[in-house]
Amino acid sequence: MNKWMRAALKALTYSEPDLKKNYKLYRAVNNTIVTPVKRIYEVSDYKISLDEADIPVRIFEPKEKRSEEVFLFFHGGGWVTGNIDSYTKPCASLANNTGRRVLSVDYRLAPEYPFPCGLNDCYQAALTIYQNSGEFQLHPEQIVLMGDSAGGNLAACVSLMARDRGDFQVKRQILLYPAAGNDHSDDSQFASVREFGKDYLLTSKRIRDYIDLYISNKEDLENPYFAPLLAEDLSRQPETLIVTAEYDPLRDEGEAYGKKLALQGNPVMLHRMKDALHGFFTLPQRFVHVQKTYRLVDDFLRGGACYAE
C-alpha cells in the first residue's frame, strides 16, 4: 500500500464520530438503502415467527442458477449496525456471481438487544430453515452458513451451537474476516491488532466499542459463543473457508481460528486477501477483491477444503 493511500485512510479513520455515543447515527448511515439504477436481483421476503420476535429473511434468486446449494447469510456491522436492506447489493451480487440462492437473515441489534440475543435470532432462524427445508425448496445438506465480520462470528457460533445442541448439522461454512477472539487491546496478543488498529478505517478502539455495546456483561468476553476462538473443543465442525484481509486488525484472530479448526481435524481452506481492508466484501462487485472472493467460494464449494495458509 503506497504512502498516499495510507495518508488518506488515516484521515478518514480519525474523522469519524465516537461510536458508543453515536451508534444510532452510524446505524442510520449504514442502513441507508441505495437503490440500484438497474435492478439486478429477484427477491422474496419471509418472516420467521418466534416467541420473542419476527425474524425477516430475504431470499435472493440468481439470474442463472448453477447449483442447488444455498447460502444462509448473516450480515456484518459489529452486531450494532446493518440489516438485510443495507446488504441487498452484496447478497444480490453473491447470488448472481455464484449462481446460488442467498437467504439473508436479519437479527436484532445491540445495544437494545445485547448478547446473546442476535446470536439466538440467527440460531433460531437457521434451525427453522433446516427443519423446514422443504418449504424453502432445499435440502439441509445444501445449506452453507456464511457471514462477514460480525456475521462471520455469528455463523461460526451458530455452527458451534448446532453441534453442542444436536439440532442440525452444518456441512459447510464461509467466514469472511470474522471476529473470533476477545483481545483487541493496544497490547493484544495479535500482531494485526497492534499494527493495523489505528489507521485502517476499522480501529481497535471501534472494535472494543462495538463489543461493549454488544455484550451484556464482562463475563460474556470469555464465552465461546461470543469468541469462538476460546472454544476448547472444535471437533465436528463444518468444512470451512476463512478469508481474511491483509490490513485488518481482525486478520490474525480469524486465521488463528482457522488453524485451530484444522488442528482439531476439520477441513479448512484459509486465504489472506492481499492489500485488502476490513469490509471489502461490501464493495461493488467490480472490485478485484470481491471478484476474487467469488472465485474462492466457487473453488471451495466445488472441491471441498484442505488446509492452506
Side-chain angles (χ1 to χ4, degrees):
M1 184 181 295
N2 64 53
K3 64 179 182 181
W4 305 113
M5 179 62 73
R6 290 180 189 272
L9 288 172
K10 184 174 182 178
L12 288 170
T13 300
Y14 284 93
S15 65
E16 293 183 333
D18 182 83
L19 173 64
K20 290 172 75 171
K21 293 180 180 179
N22 298 280
Y23 73 88
K24 290 184 179 180
L25 173 62
Y26 273 87
R27 187 181 293 170
V29 172
N30 290 341
N31 291 359
T32 299
I33 308 170
V34 180
T35 304
V37 175
K38 182 179 179 181
R39 189 177 178 89
I40 60 169
Y41 54 89
E42 293 184 9
V43 300
S44 51
D45 287 324
Y46 291 83
K47 283 189 178 179
I48 295 175
S49 296
L50 307 176
D51 292 338
E52 301 85 5
D54 290 335
I55 306 301
V57 177
R58 180 164 294 167
I59 301 178
F60 295 82
E61 301 285 347
K63 287 183 177 179
E64 179 186 351
K65 190 176 180 182
R66 301 195 298 271
S67 173
E68 296 300 319
E69 290 165 325
V70 174
F71 298 110
L72 183 55
F73 188 90
F74 306 125
H75 67 77
W79 310 280
V80 174
T81 68
N83 58 23
I84 57 175
D85 292 327
S86 65
Y87 268 74
T88 284
K89 283 187 178 181
C91 288
S93 296
L94 175 65
N96 285 331
N97 281 275
T98 64
R100 296 168 173 88
R101 285 190 294 161
V102 177
L103 279 63
S104 180
V105 177
D106 224 351
Y107 53 89
R108 290 173 291 174
L109 300 174
E112 293 89 345
Y113 300 97
F115 176 84
C117 185
L119 173 59
N120 288 339
D121 287 352
C122 292
Y123 186 83
Q124 291 300 321
L127 177 62
T128 299
I129 292 169
Y130 271 91
Q131 292 184 340
N132 300 276
S133 55
E135 295 183 19
F136 295 89
Q137 300 178 345
L138 56 87
H139 190 277
E141 293 194 354
Q142 298 167 339
I143 299 173
V144 181
L145 293 193
M146 185 173 182
D148 73 316
S149 191
N153 168 278
L154 292 167
C157 294
V158 166
S159 293
L160 281 174
M161 192 175 284
R163 180 206 62 187
D164 294 343
R165 297 184 180 181
D167 290 329
F168 55 91
Q169 185 175 5
V170 180
K171 292 293 185 180
R172 288 178 173 177
Q173 64 178 353
I174 297 172
L175 315 178
L176 305 181
Y177 38 85
N182 66 352
D183 183 4
H184 306 97
S185 61
D186 291 338
D187 57 351
S188 170
Q189 62 179 305
F190 299 114
S192 61
V193 175
R194 302 191 304 272
E195 294 173 13
F196 309 124
K198 290 186 177 179
D199 299 330
Y200 296 86
L201 296 184
L202 178 65
T203 65
S204 56
K205 179 185 183 304
R206 182 145 45 118
I207 296 170
R208 295 194 299 269
D209 287 347
Y210 276 130
I211 289 172
D212 286 346
L213 290 169
Y214 179 48
I215 60 175
S216 299
N217 52 62
K218 294 298 183 183
E219 287 72 26
D220 291 340
L221 293 173
E222 305 300 322
N223 190 329
Y225 293 152
F226 161 74
L229 184 57
L230 301 181
E232 294 184 7
D233 180 9
L234 287 177
S235 63
R236 295 181 291 118
Q237 284 299 280
E239 293 185 21
T240 301
L241 167 64
I242 296 178
V243 183
T244 62
E246 182 177 6
Y247 297 107
D248 181 359
L250 296 181
R251 183 194 71 193
D252 289 354
E253 64 192 72
E255 294 176 3
Y257 188 59
K259 293 173 183 178
K260 190 171 182 178
L261 283 170
L263 286 172
Q264 297 200 22
N266 303 286
V268 175
M269 180 176 174
L270 180 58
H271 180 86
R272 179 185 294 181
M273 194 70 72
K274 184 176 175 56
D275 292 328
L277 299 170
H278 185 87
F280 67 80
F281 186 68
T282 60
L283 294 171
Q285 61 182 347
R286 67 180 180 274
F287 280 76
V288 62
H289 295 137
V290 180
Q291 288 295 325
K292 188 168 184 179
T293 301
Y294 297 147
R295 293 194 295 271
L296 287 168
V297 168
D298 273 332
D299 290 345
F300 169 68
L301 294 179
R302 282 201 306 265
C306 57
Y307 181 71
E309 290 197 52

